[in-house]
């Protein structure tokens, strides 16, 4: 069984989503199905079919979240240290061609959000950075072609 690495923040967010689905969304869709059934003929009842489809989505997401949470490995970046990039690290890199500096925090798959500088541990950039140290250069395949980056800083906060 493969562990799913995530930060405590990511674990808490998934736990909250699971609780919401079980305590709010599931009862709402059950009520919607019951109400749609009361309207009679189910074969031509769009409300009923939509509610059943929503129920299917909710149950699938609940199963997915329960699986991820049961396999989760919560990693607290503040308890990590060192000069090598690993899960939870915030890495500052400079594009060797454009001289543009960017910082990324390496997080779990469900926590990634490039708009706020969080990249998935499975992304090409993160995979290139893992186990590298300040001063090392990495080459990454991007949609714009291969790019070279130099690691300027590694921190755990």
């Amino acid at each position: 069984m493969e562990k799913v690495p995530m930060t405590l923040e990511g674990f808490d967010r998934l736990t909250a989503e699971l609780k919401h689905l079980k305590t709010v969304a599931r009862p709402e869709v059950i009520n919607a199905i019951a109400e749609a059934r009361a309207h009679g003929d189910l074969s031509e009842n769009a409300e009923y079919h939509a509610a059943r489809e929503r129920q299917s989505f909710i149950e699938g997401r609940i199963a997915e979240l329960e699986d991820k949470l049961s396999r989760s490995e919560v990693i607290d970046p503040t308890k990590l240290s060192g000069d090598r990039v690993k899960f939870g690290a915030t890495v500052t890199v400079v594009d060797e061609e454009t001289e543009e500096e960017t910082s990324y925090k390496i997080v779990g798959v469900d926590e990634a959000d490039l708009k706020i500088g969080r990249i998935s541990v499975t992304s090409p950039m993160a995979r290139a950075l893992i186990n590298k140290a300040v001063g090392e250069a990495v080459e990454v395949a991007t949609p714009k072609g291969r790019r070279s980056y130099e690691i300027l800083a590694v921190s755990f906060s």
Side-chain angles (χ1 to χ4, degrees):
M1 184 164 26
E2 186 179 334
K3 291 284 186 189
V4 178
M6 62 182 68
T7 63
L8 182 58
E9 180 184 335
F11 180 84
D12 290 344
R13 193 173 48 75
L14 291 182
T15 302
E17 181 183 352
L18 179 62
K19 181 180 180 186
H20 173 78
L21 288 172
K22 284 182 165 183
T23 61
V24 177
R26 184 188 267 167
E28 283 176 354
V29 80
I30 289 170
N31 289 337
I33 290 170
E35 188 176 309
R37 274 193 175 136
H39 293 294
D41 186 13
L42 299 181
S43 64
E44 294 181 17
N45 189 332
E47 288 176 19
Y48 175 77
H49 293 291
R52 290 291 297 191
E53 196 171 298
R54 175 93 176 116
Q55 181 184 36
S56 177
F57 172 80
I58 290 169
E59 294 303 326
R61 184 67 178 153
I62 286 172
E64 178 184 4
L65 290 173
E66 286 176 339
D67 175 59
K68 282 182 182 176
L69 290 170
S70 72
R71 295 184 298 124
S72 68
E73 179 180 357
V74 178
I75 298 170
D76 183 358
T78 61
K79 297 195 180 345
L80 301 174
S81 63
D83 60 350
R84 295 229 168 249
V85 178
K86 49 191 155 194
F87 182 91
T90 299
V91 185
T92 303
V93 296
V94 62
D95 185 313
E96 292 183 338
E97 188 176 309
T98 65
E99 299 294 319
E100 183 180 332
E101 284 188 28
T102 311
S103 290
Y104 300 108
K105 183 169 185 163
I106 300 174
V107 296
V109 174
D110 293 299
E111 304 170 81
D113 185 350
L114 193 55
K115 289 181 218 132
I116 58 172
R118 293 171 162 251
I119 60 172
S120 166
V121 69
T122 61
S123 70
M125 176 64 103
R127 287 190 313 226
L129 292 170
I130 295 289
N131 289 324
K132 300 290 191 282
V134 172
E136 288 190 57
V138 297
E139 199 169 290
V140 181
T142 70
K144 296 179 183 176
R146 295 196 79 62
R147 308 292 286 204
S148 292
Y149 298 91
E150 181 182 344
I151 301 172
L152 299 178
V154 177
S155 67
F156 299 92
S157 55

Coordinates of all heavy atoms in Angstrom, one line a residue, residues 25-37 39 42 45-59:
A25 N -23.6 17.1 2.5 CA -24.0 16.8 1.1 C -24.7 15.5 0.9 O -25.7 15.4 0.2 CB -22.7 16.7 0.2
R26 N -24.3 14.4 1.6 CA -25.0 13.1 1.5 C -26.4 13.2 2.0 O -27.3 12.8 1.2 CB -24.2 12.0 2.3 CG -24.8 10.6 2.2 CD -24.1 9.7 3.1 NE -23.0 9.0 2.5 CZ -22.1 8.3 3.1 NH1 -22.2 8.2 4.5 NH2 -21.1 7.7 2.5
P27 N -26.7 13.8 3.2 CA -28.2 13.9 3.5 C -29.0 14.8 2.6 O -30.1 14.5 2.3 CB -28.1 14.5 4.9 CG -26.7 14.2 5.5 CD -25.9 14.1 4.3
E28 N -28.4 15.8 2.0 CA -29.1 16.7 1.1 C -29.5 15.9 -0.2 O -30.6 16.0 -0.6 CB -28.2 17.9 0.7 CG -28.1 19.0 1.7 CD -27.2 20.1 1.3 OE1 -26.5 20.0 0.3 OE2 -27.1 21.1 2.0
V29 N -28.6 15.1 -0.7 CA -28.9 14.4 -1.9 C -29.9 13.3 -1.6 O -30.7 13.0 -2.5 CB -27.6 13.9 -2.6 CG1 -27.0 12.6 -2.0 CG2 -27.8 13.6 -4.1
I30 N -29.8 12.7 -0.5 CA -30.8 11.7 -0.1 C -32.2 12.3 -0.1 O -33.2 11.7 -0.6 CB -30.5 11.0 1.2 CG1 -29.2 10.1 1.0 CG2 -31.6 10.2 1.8 CD1 -28.6 9.5 2.3
N31 N -32.3 13.5 0.5 CA -33.6 14.2 0.5 C -34.1 14.6 -0.9 O -35.2 14.5 -1.2 CB -33.5 15.5 1.4 CG -33.4 15.1 2.9 OD1 -33.8 14.0 3.3 ND2 -32.9 16.0 3.7
A32 N -33.1 15.0 -1.7 CA -33.5 15.4 -3.1 C -34.0 14.1 -3.9 O -34.9 14.3 -4.7 CB -32.2 16.0 -3.8
I33 N -33.4 13.0 -3.6 CA -33.8 11.8 -4.3 C -35.3 11.4 -3.8 O -36.1 11.1 -4.6 CB -32.9 10.6 -4.1 CG1 -31.6 10.8 -4.9 CG2 -33.5 9.2 -4.5 CD1 -30.4 9.9 -4.5
A34 N -35.5 11.5 -2.5 CA -36.8 11.2 -2.0 C -37.9 12.1 -2.5 O -39.0 11.7 -2.9 CB -36.7 11.2 -0.5
E35 N -37.5 13.4 -2.6 CA -38.5 14.4 -3.1 C -38.7 14.1 -4.6 O -39.9 14.2 -5.1 CB -37.9 15.8 -3.0 CG -38.9 16.9 -3.3 CD -38.3 18.3 -3.0 OE1 -37.8 18.5 -1.9 OE2 -38.3 19.1 -3.9
A36 N -37.7 13.8 -5.4 CA -37.9 13.5 -6.8 C -38.7 12.3 -7.0 O -39.6 12.2 -7.9 CB -36.6 13.4 -7.5
R37 N -38.6 11.3 -6.2 CA -39.4 10.0 -6.2 C -40.8 10.3 -6.0 O -41.7 9.7 -6.6 CB -38.9 9.0 -5.2 CG -37.8 8.2 -5.6 CD -37.6 7.0 -4.7 NE -36.6 6.1 -5.2 CZ -35.6 5.6 -4.5 NH1 -35.6 5.8 -3.2 NH2 -34.7 4.8 -5.0
H39 N -42.5 12.7 -7.0 CA -43.1 13.3 -8.2 C -43.6 12.3 -9.2 O -44.2 12.6 -10.2 CB -42.1 14.2 -8.9 CG -41.8 15.5 -8.1 ND1 -42.7 16.4 -7.8 CD2 -40.6 15.8 -7.5 CE1 -42.1 17.4 -7.1 NE2 -40.8 17.0 -6.9
L42 N -40.3 7.8 -12.6 CA -38.8 8.0 -12.5 C -38.2 8.0 -13.9 O -37.1 8.6 -14.0 CB -38.2 7.0 -11.6 CG -38.7 7.0 -10.2 CD1 -38.0 6.0 -9.3 CD2 -38.6 8.4 -9.5
N45 N -38.0 11.6 -15.1 CA -37.8 12.5 -14.0 C -36.4 13.0 -14.0 O -35.5 12.4 -13.5 CB -38.3 11.9 -12.7 CG -38.3 12.9 -11.6 OD1 -37.6 13.9 -11.6 ND2 -39.2 12.6 -10.6
A46 N -36.1 14.2 -14.6 CA -34.8 14.7 -14.7 C -34.2 15.1 -13.3 O -33.0 14.9 -13.1 CB -34.8 16.0 -15.5
E47 N -35.1 15.5 -12.4 CA -34.6 15.8 -11.0 C -34.1 14.6 -10.3 O -33.0 14.6 -9.7 CB -35.7 16.4 -10.2 CG -36.2 17.8 -10.5 CD -37.3 18.2 -9.7 OE1 -37.6 17.6 -8.6 OE2 -38.0 19.2 -10.1
Y48 N -34.8 13.4 -10.5 CA -34.3 12.2 -9.9 C -33.0 11.7 -10.5 O -32.1 11.4 -9.8 CB -35.4 11.1 -10.2 CG -35.0 9.7 -9.7 CD1 -35.0 9.4 -8.4 CD2 -34.5 8.8 -10.6 CE1 -34.6 8.1 -7.9 CE2 -34.2 7.5 -10.2 CZ -34.2 7.2 -8.9 OH -33.8 6.0 -8.4
H49 N -32.9 11.8 -11.8 CA -31.6 11.4 -12.5 C -30.4 12.3 -12.1 O -29.3 11.8 -11.8 CB -31.8 11.3 -14.0 CG -32.7 10.2 -14.4 ND1 -32.5 8.9 -14.3 CD2 -34.0 10.3 -14.9 CE1 -33.5 8.2 -14.7 NE2 -34.4 9.0 -15.1
A50 N -30.7 13.6 -12.0 CA -29.6 14.5 -11.5 C -29.2 14.2 -10.1 O -28.0 14.2 -9.8 CB -30.1 15.9 -11.7
A51 N -30.2 13.9 -9.2 CA -29.9 13.7 -7.8 C -29.1 12.4 -7.7 O -28.2 12.3 -6.9 CB -31.2 13.6 -7.0
R52 N -29.5 11.4 -8.5 CA -28.8 10.1 -8.4 C -27.3 10.2 -8.9 O -26.4 9.6 -8.4 CB -29.5 9.0 -9.3 CG -30.8 8.5 -8.7 CD -30.7 7.7 -7.5 NE -29.9 6.5 -7.8 CZ -29.8 5.5 -7.0 NH1 -30.4 5.5 -5.8 NH2 -29.1 4.5 -7.4
E53 N -27.2 11.1 -10.0 CA -25.8 11.3 -10.5 C -25.0 12.0 -9.4 O -23.8 11.7 -9.2 CB -25.9 12.2 -11.8 CG -24.7 12.2 -12.6 CD -24.9 12.8 -13.9 OE1 -25.7 12.3 -14.7 OE2 -24.2 13.8 -14.2
R54 N -25.6 13.0 -8.8 CA -24.9 13.7 -7.7 C -24.5 12.8 -6.6 O -23.4 12.8 -6.0 CB -25.8 14.9 -7.2 CG -25.2 15.6 -6.0 CD -24.4 16.8 -6.4 NE -24.0 17.6 -5.3 CZ -22.7 17.7 -5.0 NH1 -21.8 17.2 -5.7 NH2 -22.4 18.4 -3.9
Q55 N -25.5 11.9 -6.2 CA -25.2 10.9 -5.2 C -24.0 10.0 -5.6 O -23.1 9.7 -4.7 CB -26.4 10.0 -4.9 CG -26.2 9.0 -3.8 CD -27.4 8.1 -3.6 OE1 -28.0 7.7 -4.6 NE2 -27.7 7.7 -2.4
S56 N -24.0 9.6 -6.8 CA -22.9 8.8 -7.3 C -21.5 9.5 -7.1 O -20.5 8.9 -6.7 CB -23.1 8.4 -8.7 OG -22.0 7.6 -9.2
F57 N -21.5 10.8 -7.5 CA -20.3 11.6 -7.4 C -19.9 11.7 -5.9 O -18.7 11.5 -5.6 CB -20.5 13.0 -8.0 CG -19.4 13.9 -7.7 CD1 -18.2 13.8 -8.4 CD2 -19.4 14.8 -6.6 CE1 -17.1 14.7 -8.1 CE2 -18.4 15.6 -6.3 CZ -17.2 15.6 -7.1
I58 N -20.8 12.0 -5.0 CA -20.5 12.2 -3.6 C -20.0 10.9 -3.0 O -19.0 10.9 -2.3 CB -21.8 12.6 -2.8 CG1 -22.1 14.1 -3.2 CG2 -21.6 12.5 -1.3 CD1 -23.4 14.6 -2.7
E59 N -20.6 9.8 -3.3 CA -20.2 8.5 -2.8 C -18.8 8.1 -3.3 O -17.9 7.6 -2.5 CB -21.2 7.4 -3.1 CG -22.5 7.5 -2.4 CD -22.4 7.6 -0.9 OE1 -21.6 7.0 -0.2 OE2 -23.3 8.4 -0.3

